[in-house]
Amino acid sequence: MSPGNTRRGTAIVGAGMIGEVHRRSALLAGAEIAGVLASTPQRSLEKAGEWNVRAFASFDEVLADDRVDVVHVCTPNATHAPFAEAALAAGKHVICEKPLAISLDEAERMAAAASASGLVATVPFVYRYHPLVREIRARRQAGEFGDWHLLHGSYLQDWMVDPDASGWRVDPDQGGVSRAFADIGSHWCDLVQWVSGETFTDVFAEFSIAVPTRPSAGGTSFSGPSGGVGERVAVRTEDTAALLLRTGTGVLATATISQVAAGRKNRLWFELDGSGGSAVFDQENPEQIWLGGAESNRVLTRDIGTGSAEQRRLSKLPAGHPQGYADCFDAFVADTYAAIDGGDPEGLPTFTDGLRSARLVDAVVRAAGNGSWTKV
């Protein structure tokens, strides 16, 4: 913490939906919000008024503020590298939204800067923080599922079904050359690898664009998806991705990623099938998991004081009182701050994980372009 401060000082850079989520979790973790920097001076003033904090006029002001110990980067993907690298160079810890960067070169540079700095730099792969995700992982570590036969699933959303939906993510200059996979497929791959203990080493992929033109998103915005404001332009980033993957131990995996699946709001679903049993998790129903066996199946409900140590740590409410995405984010930010204080929380996703994801995004984009199996 800054000298003389009794609370950790935090700056929120980006004032859209995810910036609001970061702010909430930071406050619950005991931080003091030192200020906010949004996409325009007017937007910064509006948010600062809502939050009763300082409106930063520039990122240089963020870095110059001695009250700021941690910078939360919640801005369009193309700004992640310059903001995160500058914050680390200024001695600030960083929480940077994913994908970590819009190119593999940027991600490698960011991970190297984080490592050299000795500071804490994390990426919110927050689905790791569902208590029952931790339960499946603990059971895998205990050998309950045996050897894996198949890993499969999907991550489906519908926010791009409307042909007039747009936003900065659609523009590859702001969001990167991959949209659906880099945005949400990266979450699925991170989670499945972390839970299963496998590493994807080869990929075959196909992309498709369901809506060929969308309204221009206009200038850079730090907010999330919205209706376009300009003339219609050609869409150059994928709406859907279909993947066949292979792990380092030879296990096959399949994943379907879509942002145009009508009715699916945020359905991250996976099934892990092993020689000793199977496990299913559905992010839209995170309070239960399905455990399959050759003789019988079980449905396990999250509860306090039951299951693995990590399920117990992250379960804050008794069964029947649902926990969800916001609770995951709260736990992730709290663990990041615990790491800053010298702790070593299990499963905390860092820039190293962000780099691993960037390597996979790069391979998937190359595979979709060359139509063949591609090394990660």
Side-chain angles (χ1 to χ4, degrees):
M1 299 183 189
S2 298
N5 278 3
T6 57
R7 301 176 68 192
R8 179 173 291 105
T10 295
I12 308 295
V13 182
M17 180 278 288
I18 201 64
E20 293 273 8
V21 173
H22 280 253
R23 170 182 174 266
R24 172 187 183 275
S25 294
L27 289 171
L28 288 172
E32 177 182 0
I33 308 301
V36 60
L37 176 67
S39 52
T40 65
Q42 181 60 36
R43 176 74 169 156
S44 295
L45 287 170
E46 290 172 359
K47 273 298 168 185
E50 288 179 25
W51 295 356
N52 194 30
V53 299
R54 175 184 179 182
F56 290 112
S58 67
F59 195 68
D60 286 340
E61 281 196 3
V62 174
L63 302 183
D65 192 329
D66 290 337
R67 298 174 303 157
V68 175
D69 305 297
V70 188
V71 177
H72 290 242
V73 179
C74 317
T75 53
N77 303 340
T79 65
H80 290 179
F83 284 170
E85 289 174 331
L88 290 167
K92 315 288 189 183
H93 304 283
V94 176
I95 299 177
C96 182
E97 268 299 323
K98 34 65 43 200
L100 191 60
I102 60 171
S103 73
L104 181 54
D105 286 345
E106 279 189 346
E108 288 176 338
R109 196 175 68 231
M110 293 167 74
S115 178
S117 73
L119 297 164
V120 174
T122 62
V123 182
F125 286 121
V126 298
Y127 297 115
R128 293 183 180 194
Y129 281 86
H130 280 295
L132 289 180
V133 162
R134 301 274 171 142
E135 182 66 24
I136 296 173
R137 184 171 185 266
R139 288 169 180 257
R140 183 267 298 173
Q141 290 173 323
E144 178 173 322
F145 305 112
D147 296 327
W148 294 124
H149 291 163
L150 179 66
L151 316 176
H152 56 111
S154 59
Y155 196 158
L156 309 175
Q157 296 178 335
D158 71 355
W159 67 275
M160 295 298 286
V161 166
D162 183 347
D164 290 331
S166 191
W168 61 262
R169 293 184 187 278
V170 180
D171 180 357
D173 291 335
Q174 296 186 55
V177 294
S178 170
R179 173 170 32 99
F181 182 75
D183 185 20
I184 61 175
S186 59
H187 269 301
W188 188 93
C189 289
D190 174 80
L191 191 63
V192 168
Q193 290 180 108
W194 187 70
V195 173
S196 70
E198 296 286 333
T199 299
F200 297 135
T201 58
D202 302 85
V203 61
F204 185 93
E206 289 285 349
F207 287 170
S208 70
I209 295 172
V211 180
T213 66
R214 293 187 185 273
S216 167
T220 299
S221 168
F222 289 3
S223 60
S226 63
V229 296
E231 64 181 23
R232 299 190 75 86
V233 297
V235 174
R236 294 178 287 158
T237 54
E238 79 281 0
D239 291 309
T240 62
L243 279 69
L244 180 61
L245 304 116
R246 186 165 52 234
T247 75
T249 64
V251 179
L252 287 180
T254 64
T256 303
I257 311 300
S258 178
Q259 293 179 326
V260 289
R264 297 299 189 186
K265 301 306 177 185
N266 197 45
R267 189 175 189 262
L268 187 164
W269 181 96
F270 68 72
E271 178 168 332
L272 313 178
D273 299 330
S275 59
S278 300
V280 171
F281 174 78
D282 181 354
Q283 202 279 148
E284 288 190 340
N285 181 29
E287 293 289 274
Q288 294 183 327
I289 54 174
W290 181 87
L291 300 173
E295 302 298 330
S296 63
N297 305 322
R298 294 169 290 158
V299 173
L300 183 67
T301 299
R302 183 199 60 78
D303 202 355
I304 57 174
T306 63
S308 67
E310 281 294 288
Q311 185 197 166
R312 296 194 303 271
R313 178 175 80 91
L314 295 172
S315 289
K316 304 301 183 183
L317 299 169
H321 300 77
Q323 294 183 206
Y325 174 82
D327 300 282
C328 292
F329 219 104
D330 296 342
F332 158 73
V333 171
D335 271 8
T336 297
Y337 291 178
I340 291 171
D341 291 335
D344 185 23
E346 181 178 350
L348 179 65
T350 68
F351 274 26
T352 298
D353 299 288
L355 174 57
R356 183 180 300 112
S357 178
R359 287 172 176 155
L360 185 54
V361 171
D362 178 74
V364 168
V365 170
R366 286 187 285 117
N370 62 31
S372 61
W373 280 97
T374 301
K375 286 286 184 183
V376 177

